[in-house]
Amino acid sequence: MEIIFGNQKAVQAASFYLRYQVFVLEQKIPTALEFDGLDTSDRKYLVFFDHELPVATARFQTKTSKILQPDRLCVTKKYRLRGLGQQLLTCLETEGKKNNLISSELSAEMTAIDFYQKQGYQVISEPYKEDGILCVTMKKEL
């Protein structure tokens, strides 16, 4: 598995490809909501490749100067249940620590709460709708 983190056009394109497959086609999130104003040319993405095939991705962003905000994490169906989601999150948190971030807050779909709790995150909000999907905010100290 090759892991690439950066803002190169090929990395961004691979991330967009995965997000389109998982969020737009699979979860039926409208394209206009999935690809938002945060997808700028300088935004960094984390992409895992199995040879040349992108199989998992996440968008790196911060909520504040001290808070990491992992976003748009997804793994293609064929590659789920192999620990790639955990690896994505760990890589983002490691990058966050390198950038002197002290905590991580993310929006988790209700179906993913158990996954994030196993990674040390705690629910800190009431449920709310995001892009038409019921979510909660979760937090972890880095």
Side-chain angles (χ1 to χ4, degrees):
M1 193 76 52
E2 181 182 13
I3 300 170
I4 300 178
F5 178 71
N7 63 352
Q8 303 91 327
K9 288 184 189 237
V11 174
Q12 186 176 36
S15 181
F16 286 7
Y17 166 82
L18 288 167
R19 289 170 48 194
Y20 189 84
Q21 296 296 316
V22 173
F23 297 124
V24 175
L25 297 180
E26 187 179 325
Q27 294 186 352
K28 309 294 186 224
I29 293 173
T31 305
L33 293 177
E34 175 55 33
F35 299 99
D36 57 23
L38 298 175
D39 288 313
T40 58
S41 61
D42 61 338
R43 174 76 54 209
K44 291 185 178 180
Y45 300 85
L46 179 63
V47 181
F48 290 10
F49 291 89
D50 184 0
H51 296 91
E52 299 211 6
L53 179 69
V55 297
T57 191
R59 181 167 71 182
F60 181 84
Q61 61 191 35
T62 58
K63 185 173 184 176
T64 70
S65 63
K66 293 294 178 186
I67 301 173
L68 172 67
Q69 187 176 23
D71 195 32
R72 303 301 204 257
L73 281 78
C74 65
V75 178
T76 59
K77 268 187 181 179
K78 183 179 174 185
Y79 286 81
R80 291 180 191 155
L81 302 174
R82 298 184 187 191
L84 296 182
Q86 178 183 3
Q87 290 177 45
L88 276 173
L89 203 51
T90 299
C91 287
L92 289 177
E93 291 169 354
T94 299
E95 194 62 35
K97 289 176 190 175
K98 288 180 190 174
N99 286 278
N100 300 312
L101 303 177
I102 60 172
S103 65
S104 177
E105 287 185 24
L106 52 80
S107 179
E109 295 176 15
M110 299 300 284
T111 57
I113 290 174
D114 288 343
F115 165 77
Y116 288 114
Q117 285 176 328
K118 288 176 184 170
Q119 312 315 312
Y121 285 78
Q122 296 177 354
V123 175
I124 61 166
S125 77
E126 293 298 319
Y128 56 90
K129 284 231 174 169
E130 182 174 276
D131 297 337
I133 296 175
L134 201 56
C135 298
V136 291
T137 300
M138 300 186 77
K139 183 176 183 173
K140 175 183 179 180
E141 298 303 318
L142 298 177

